[in-house]
Amino acid sequence: MFEIPNPPEEFGQDGGKFYRCYDDLAKEIDDDMTSGLKEQLDGILIFPVPFNARFTPQAGLFATVNTAFLALTIPLLSADPADDNKALLAQNNALLMQLVLGRNDTVPADSPLPSTTFSPSRDIFTINALFALSLTFAIMSSFLAVLGRQWLVYYRKRGGGGPDRQRWEQLKRFLGAERWRLEAILEDLLPSLLQTGLIIFCISLILYLRHLSPAISKIVGIPLPLSHLLVWAFHSLYWTVMPMKLAISSWASSGVWDWDEATADFPHATPDPLKREEESLESLQAIALRRAICTSDDPATLIHATANILSIRSPDAMTQLWKDDAFQERFSQLVQNPSNGILQLRGYNGDPKDLAEGCRRLYYSAAGHIALNVDCGWKLRLKCGRRNGIHTRSIYDLAVIGISGIWGFAPS
């Protein structure tokens, strides 16, 4: 039977209720992230890797085609040995004709061979350079994809120790992934490298066809780039409703990828991941609460997380929690609508009004606890989020809400 929990004396000392909810939530988030990245990396590995018996016969689709064209164009960079043979045979024929006809004409024997004066044309050099660059991008994406697979194995690997140590160790790995933006790199950067390689390959293919036959190059060269431009244009204009995601066109539609702007979505990401300190236990607890409240829609998880807010006594940890914009917005929604979703709770057989009143008192008490422990002045106004129509509240407002909740008065 579900009951409104009493605030624990120490964080997590509520019979394991919050930890059970948090572990299920963290496992769901990690499984969703790693499964999606694994499928992405498997697709990249199957597509560009040239020689990998584990993925045959589909292995090396792009790189094999690229290598086949390089096998045709690389010999064009050097002189054809047959030209030297033809030149030597021509000299021998000239000498034989002199002997047969009895002529005394002199035949230059030191004439240079074609290979000594050979120089590849600029078009051939450009074509080979582009084919080689395209293959380089494919190999780079393959190499980074292998590193990504190794990181996924390490990320899901369980360490030693008890459940508490494994929980905080996994949270540190999650924070490290956010700091280094590994998810964005594996989802956006790697496909961008492969797409860039495909673009270069298309350009080099058109140039090679123009070298062989200008008419064929026009037939292939018009629809090929036009189709790419149409896909990018539609994706850039209607990317919110497109059923696919293209990393290059997404970056093009949003402008230059700025690190500061990109890390703004990650409250624990720093401009320089190397310059940081190890998280303390209080900091990890605050991050776990923030993760549970901002991510979960389960009423039981939200209630148990809110009850554990009252066990945080470190002003630094509370300030870290409250200065997070996403937490402010989400917690303000919960404070203003404390009974939202409580009818979805399983195992409660009592009066819904009593449950709603207990949730209201718990959320208001947590709001007052935050207000009394945040290490910033009473006059400092922190945004709970003007977005989505939520009013901005000050630390004083939260204190009034919390005290009113404790004494049973509904705040205005």
Side-chain angles (χ1 to χ4, degrees), residues 335-399:
V335 170
Q336 293 177 1
N337 301 286
S339 59
N340 187 22
I342 59 175
L343 297 179
Q344 302 175 2
L345 286 171
R346 299 179 180 178
Y348 184 78
N349 300 322
D351 189 355
K353 294 183 178 179
D354 296 336
L355 179 61
E357 179 65 19
C359 291
R360 185 181 68 85
R361 288 176 176 270
L362 180 63
Y363 283 120
Y364 291 164
S365 300
H369 182 73
I370 292 175
L372 296 174
N373 284 274
V374 169
D375 189 14
C376 54
W378 286 97
K379 296 182 180 180
L380 178 61
R381 299 183 66 85
L382 295 174
K383 291 183 180 179
C384 295
R386 275 194 176 276
R387 301 183 296 260
N388 302 327
I390 301 175
H391 298 290
T392 301
R393 295 189 181 275
S394 65
I395 298 298
Y396 178 76
D397 295 333
L398 282 182

Side-chain angles (χ1 to χ4, degrees), residues 1-24:
M1 179 176 178
F2 181 84
E3 296 180 354
I4 299 297
N6 294 321
E9 292 293 333
E10 299 293 337
F11 186 89
Q13 302 301 320
D14 56 353
K17 298 178 181 178
F18 170 70
Y19 282 151
R20 281 195 295 269
C21 294
Y22 173 78
D23 290 342
D24 293 340

Side-chain angles (χ1 to χ4, degrees), residues 125-394:
F125 180 81
T126 303
I127 291 170
N128 280 274
L130 291 178
F131 274 133
L133 184 61
S134 175
L135 183 60
T136 301
F137 275 102
I139 295 175
M140 287 173 57
S141 63
S142 173
F143 174 72
L144 294 177
V146 172
L147 292 182
R149 286 297 306 270
Q150 291 177 346
W151 173 78
L152 289 179
V153 172
Y154 168 76
Y155 185 82
R156 299 300 296 165
K157 185 178 180 180
R158 292 291 182 181
D164 289 341
R165 186 179 183 279
Q166 293 182 3
R167 181 183 303 112
W168 302 130
E169 183 66 26
Q170 190 67 19
L171 182 56
K172 290 179 181 179
R173 295 176 182 177
F174 176 80
L175 296 178
E178 283 191 343
R179 289 191 185 93
W180 289 96
R181 292 188 55 80
L182 289 177
E183 189 173 2
I185 291 174
L186 298 180
E187 284 187 346
D188 294 337
L189 180 59
L190 293 189
S192 297
L193 289 175
L194 193 54
Q195 292 172 16
T196 303
L198 286 170
I199 295 171
I200 298 174
F201 176 79
C202 292
I203 296 173
S204 56
L205 176 61
I206 294 173
L207 294 177
Y208 180 60
L209 292 177
R210 189 183 68 175
H211 175 74
L212 298 178
S213 173
I216 296 178
S217 67
K218 292 179 181 179
I219 297 174
V220 177
I222 293 176
L224 195 59
L226 185 61
S227 60
H228 283 77
L229 291 176
L230 287 177
V231 170
W232 292 338
F234 275 102
H235 189 275
S236 300
L237 294 175
Y238 307 104
W239 62 273
T240 56
V241 295
M242 289 286 286
M244 56 185 175
K245 179 182 178 182
L246 299 177
I248 295 180
S249 56
S250 300
W251 290 5
S253 61
S254 59
V256 180
W257 194 56
D258 181 64
W259 176 269
D260 295 332
E261 181 181 355
T263 54
D265 296 335
F266 298 92
H268 310 294
T270 58
D272 189 355
L274 297 176
K275 298 179 180 179
R276 67 178 184 89
E277 297 180 356
E278 188 73 15
E279 295 87 355
S280 62
L281 180 60
E282 292 80 7
S283 177
L284 292 175
Q285 292 171 353
I287 294 172
L289 287 175
R290 181 259 176 196
R291 194 181 184 189
I293 291 178
C294 294
T295 307
S296 178
D297 290 326
D298 179 37
T301 302
L302 297 174
I303 290 173
H304 290 303
T306 304
N308 278 270
I309 292 178
L310 297 169
S311 65
I312 297 181
R313 298 178 179 85
S314 171
D316 294 336
M318 191 64 71
T319 302
Q320 173 191 355
L321 181 64
W322 180 246
K323 283 186 177 181
D324 187 281
D325 293 336
F327 176 81
Q328 290 183 30
E329 182 175 345
R330 178 62 169 161
F331 188 74
S332 298
Q333 293 175 351
L334 296 176
V335 170
Q336 293 177 1
N337 301 286
S339 59
N340 187 22
I342 59 175
L343 297 179
Q344 302 175 2
L345 286 171
R346 299 179 180 178
Y348 184 78
N349 300 322
D351 189 355
K353 294 183 178 179
D354 296 336
L355 179 61
E357 179 65 19
C359 291
R360 185 181 68 85
R361 288 176 176 270
L362 180 63
Y363 283 120
Y364 291 164
S365 300
H369 182 73
I370 292 175
L372 296 174
N373 284 274
V374 169
D375 189 14
C376 54
W378 286 97
K379 296 182 180 180
L380 178 61
R381 299 183 66 85
L382 295 174
K383 291 183 180 179
C384 295
R386 275 194 176 276
R387 301 183 296 260
N388 302 327
I390 301 175
H391 298 290
T392 301
R393 295 189 181 275
S394 65

Side-chain angles (χ1 to χ4, degrees), residues 104-124:
N104 295 325
D105 298 341
T106 59
V107 177
D110 57 348
S111 58
L113 295 176
S115 60
T116 59
T117 59
F118 175 82
S119 178
S121 64
R122 181 176 299 179
D123 292 340
I124 293 298

